[in-house]
Amino acid sequence: MQVNHRSRWLFATATAIALTVAILPGAAHASTTHASAATFVDPDEQYAAFLAEKKADGSWAGSADPGAKAKAPATDLAAYPKLTDQQLAAMRASATAAAPVGAAEPVTVQSVQVTPTGISVTTYDPAPGFTPEKLADKLRAQGKTSVRVVRPEPTDGISAMAASDCAYGSARSWSCPVSYWRNQGWEDPYVRFNDHSGSSWPVSSVVPKWNTVKNIDSEYRWNSCPTVSGSRCVDVFSGNYGAGWTGLTTLFYASGSPGAFSNTGAKVQLNDYYDSAAIGGTRNNTTTHELGHALGLGHNTYSNDVMYYAVNKREDLGGENPVLLASIYSVTR
């Protein structure tokens, strides 16, 4: 596999910042494309309020009305069973038969923030009408630090599928070298999505799709994520965050643990400002995309894939994303 050197910027930049810059001290929803400024929610302030007000079981009084999601099961293995080795082998065969040659990597808009305890990396997915450069300029104007439009070099062909591989077909990992959730005593890493989002965001039906991936377990929780040894909670929010991006995912690396996602600081935020008609895609697509990031996937090179950087109407996982994730988590870390 051809090594993607530019995507190493995540670690190189973060390390340089950590070594040379002084650590900084810790510092109503509308579903319309024409919301007034008074209804806007600052995503950072929303998350800060959650951290300050959440209860020990992970519940938060500021959570949106969930509708039927409040009764959704944690898993749905009957409808969404784990992929078998035979199914993964068939996916690999299909990908190999249609191996892309010279596929151009999609762009990614990221912000890196150094905190007293580690490094936080946020990926923003541009909304229609916003080029990555335009979105990056807007984020900088809003005071976001170390914003960069990342354009990795092209990667040709299919990887050999070692657990350290960053690509498989058109699928890409969140970073290269790969980032991952640790096992922490479980046979497979155990990730619980603690959903605080509104009823129009189908988090409860998207989590079971990702739980089909072999070697990592995903569980749905509505506004509750009690402590379970070795597991971790990814908090999912919604709000009218204004124009610019459809969704964001933030993952945190604790100091001294490059590559491993921290048990805290992981979040997904889904933007109510855009409805499906406005973006030419679906909220299922956006939700599936952001949760894919939260598990360790980057942007797919295929424009009709659910992990492509621009929103579309694709809602299934595809064949190469599950294969790459299953490979990343095929070893115990």
Side-chain angles (χ1 to χ4, degrees):
M1 181 187 69
Q2 183 177 344
V3 177
N4 192 327
H5 296 286
R6 289 189 187 178
S7 58
R8 295 178 185 271
W9 168 84
L10 167 63
F11 297 101
T13 300
T15 301
I17 293 172
L19 291 175
T20 61
V21 180
I23 300 298
L24 300 175
H29 301 169
S31 297
T32 175
T33 59
H34 303 286
S36 67
T39 66
F40 289 172
V41 176
D42 181 278
D44 294 334
E45 291 179 2
Q46 181 189 54
Y47 188 58
F50 166 74
L51 293 178
E53 300 164 3
K54 71 172 182 175
K55 297 181 180 179
D57 65 353
S59 60
W60 180 45
S63 296
D65 179 0
K69 292 193 298 181
K71 299 180 181 179
T75 59
D76 189 0
L77 289 172
Y80 297 93
K82 287 284 188 181
L83 292 168
T84 65
D85 290 333
Q86 291 77 11
Q87 289 172 315
L88 286 171
M91 290 176 177
R92 293 189 189 100
S94 175
T96 301
V101 177
E105 294 280 358
V107 295
T108 300
V109 180
Q110 285 186 333
S111 171
V112 177
Q113 296 182 324
V114 178
T115 75
T117 57
I119 298 165
S120 177
V121 180
T122 299
T123 288
Y124 298 83
D125 290 301
F130 278 81
T131 64
E133 290 79 9
K134 182 178 177 181
L135 175 56
D137 287 343
K138 180 168 185 173
L139 293 170
R140 294 185 189 108
Q142 292 173 342
K144 307 300 180 186
T145 59
S146 300
V147 175
R148 176 165 172 165
V149 178
V150 184
R151 287 183 174 83
E153 296 173 355
T155 300
D156 295 337
I158 303 292
S159 70
M161 294 314 296
S164 60
D165 283 341
C166 304
Y168 185 72
S170 59
R172 299 293 182 265
S173 56
W174 168 267
S175 65
C176 191
V178 297
S179 298
Y180 49 82
W181 295 103
R182 292 192 182 277
N183 290 70
Q184 298 188 152
W186 293 88
E187 180 179 357
D188 300 324
Y190 179 20
V191 180
R192 294 183 292 164
F193 288 95
N194 188 15
D195 185 16
H196 314 280
S197 68
S199 58
S200 65
W201 293 102
V203 182
S204 60
S205 59
V206 167
V207 172
K209 290 192 295 186
W210 283 115
N211 191 47
T212 63
V213 176
K214 189 177 176 68
N215 302 327
I216 183 168
D217 295 331
S218 301
E219 181 179 283
Y220 178 78
R221 305 283 308 188
W222 163 251
N223 197 33
S224 173
C225 200
T227 300
V228 174
S229 179
S231 70
R232 69 282 295 164
C233 303
V234 176
D235 290 288
V236 183
F237 305 90
S238 64
N240 180 359
Y241 306 121
W245 47 271
T246 55
L248 68 76
T249 298
T250 300
L251 293 164
F252 191 80
Y253 301 86
S255 299
S257 299
F261 297 133
S262 173
N263 285 351
T264 59
K267 69 178 187 294
V268 169
Q269 289 172 293
L270 305 166
N271 195 352
D272 286 340
Y273 182 84
Y274 296 101
D275 59 22
S276 296
I279 59 177
T282 71
R283 285 192 166 181
N284 191 304
N285 170 273
T286 299
T287 306
T288 304
H289 182 106
E290 299 305 330
L291 268 54
H293 281 328
L295 294 175
L297 285 176
H299 285 147
N300 198 289
T301 66
Y302 177 43
S303 61
N304 195 37
D305 189 89
V306 73
M307 293 305 300
Y308 189 64
Y309 84 97
V311 67
N312 57 46
K313 295 183 179 180
R314 187 74 177 265
E315 297 179 351
D316 64 282
L317 304 186
E320 295 167 358
N321 297 315
V323 171
L324 179 57
L325 267 189
S327 175
I328 291 172
Y329 294 108
S330 62
V331 298
T332 299
R333 293 184 173 96

